[in-house]
């Protein structure tokens, strides 16, 4: 059932009879936080509310906050808040909003595109590290050393969870480095798995270094431009 169809059913007047059997509705992928709130609001005042079991909508996982996902717009956050299940093992829910930045272009087929799963994995290591390994009173910068992906089967816009396990970690005063295994699980099967090797630095330290590297890149770019232009002028003169 599409969201628009559910809205229509909930807003039908009481004089329109509906089949008198209770429907248990499972929220799928694509719903934003505002969509969930709207459905619950419509259901609360609908004359047909007794026909719809929306219990799972009340239990919908909470989307990770901006401080964990590093996304300004909530619709671009693809994960729930992380939960620690045991030592160095965590779990998150996949929460795709159809309005997110990766859903704006053409979609093929019925499956969830692979780049969305990779971005969810990337957000997962940000969220777990921010929530469980970093203090709240400082800003940090994440640098990806290596990230590999393996896709085993299609993921579909249904309930899915992200399993996150830390393979190794190095924690020091100046930096923190992690190697993690991240997998997207759906219907008891792994749809995609990722290995992420990343390092976390204090923002003040890396920002100054980044500024130096940016200036060097501009200098190299301009030098290469002038060199190419000089060669083009020489060739034009010969011609």
């Amino acid at each position: 059932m599409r969201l628009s169809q559910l809205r229509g059913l909930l807003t039908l007047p009481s004089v329109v009879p509906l089949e008198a059997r209770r429907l248990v509705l499972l929220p799928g992928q694509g719903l934003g936080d505002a969509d969930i709130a709207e459905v619950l609001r419509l259901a609360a005042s609908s004359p047909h509310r007794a026909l719809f079991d929306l219990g799972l909508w009340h239990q919908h996982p909470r989307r990770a906050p901006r401080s964990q996902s590093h996304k300004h717009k909530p619709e671009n956050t693809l994960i729930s808040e992380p939960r620690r299940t045991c030592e160095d093992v965590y779990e998150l829910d996949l929460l795709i909003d159809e309005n997110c930045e990766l859903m704006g272009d053409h979609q093929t087929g019925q499956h969830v595109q692979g780049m969305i799963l990779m971005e969810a994995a990337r957000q997962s290591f940000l969220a777990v590290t921010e929530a469980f390994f970093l203090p709240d009173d400082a800003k940090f910068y994440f640098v990806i050393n290596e990230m590999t992906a393996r896709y085993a089967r299609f993921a579909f816009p249904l309930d899915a969870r992200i399993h996150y396990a830390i393979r190794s970690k190095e924690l020091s005063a100046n930096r923190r480095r992690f190697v993690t295994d991240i997998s997207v699980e759906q219907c008891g099967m792994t749809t995609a798995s990722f290995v992420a090797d990343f390092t976390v630095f204090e923002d003040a330290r890396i920002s100054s270094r980044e500024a130096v590297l940016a200036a060097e890149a501009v200098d190299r770019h301009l030098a290469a431009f002038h060199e190419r232009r000089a060669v083009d002028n020489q060739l034009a003169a010969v011609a």
Side-chain angles (χ1 to χ4, degrees), residues 1 3-18 38-49 52 54:
M1 183 184 298
L3 179 61
S4 58
Q5 294 172 320
L6 179 56
R7 286 195 192 105
L9 289 173
L10 291 173
T11 53
L12 283 173
S14 58
V15 294
V16 179
L18 295 179
E38 180 193 18
V39 166
L40 294 177
R41 178 181 58 79
L42 291 175
S45 58
S46 173
H48 305 289
R49 58 183 174 274
F52 300 98
L54 295 169

Side-chain angles (χ1 to χ4, degrees), residues 69-89:
S69 69
H70 295 190
K71 289 294 181 181
H72 290 277
K73 299 179 180 179
E75 62 267 27
N76 292 332
T77 295
L78 298 169
I79 56 170
S80 71
E81 293 180 313
R83 304 176 292 274
R84 184 177 181 273
T85 59
C86 60
E87 182 68 24
D88 286 343
V89 178

Side-chain angles (χ1 to χ4, degrees), residues 123-164:
Q123 291 183 18
S124 296
F125 73 65
L126 298 175
V128 170
T129 308
E130 288 280 10
F132 295 96
F133 292 95
L134 300 178
D136 296 331
D137 57 353
K139 188 177 179 181
F140 294 87
Y141 199 107
F142 287 69
V143 175
I144 299 176
N145 304 311
E146 184 178 5
M147 189 167 180
T148 61
R150 180 180 180 275
Y151 295 93
R153 52 179 51 84
F154 283 149
F156 293 97
L158 305 169
D159 182 66
R161 289 188 177 173
I162 300 170
H163 181 267
Y164 184 101

Side-chain angles (χ1 to χ4, degrees), residues 147-200:
M147 189 167 180
T148 61
R150 180 180 180 275
Y151 295 93
R153 52 179 51 84
F154 283 149
F156 293 97
L158 305 169
D159 182 66
R161 289 188 177 173
I162 300 170
H163 181 267
Y164 184 101
I166 297 175
R167 184 188 298 182
S168 66
K169 60 180 184 286
E170 301 172 19
L171 308 178
S172 68
N174 295 325
R175 69 172 194 167
R176 298 157 176 84
R177 182 169 182 174
F178 300 83
V179 178
T180 62
D181 294 298
I182 308 166
S183 61
V184 180
E185 313 285 337
Q186 188 173 73
C187 303
M189 296 183 290
T190 299
T191 64
S193 56
F194 306 89
V195 177
D197 178 340
F198 62 96
T199 306
V200 187

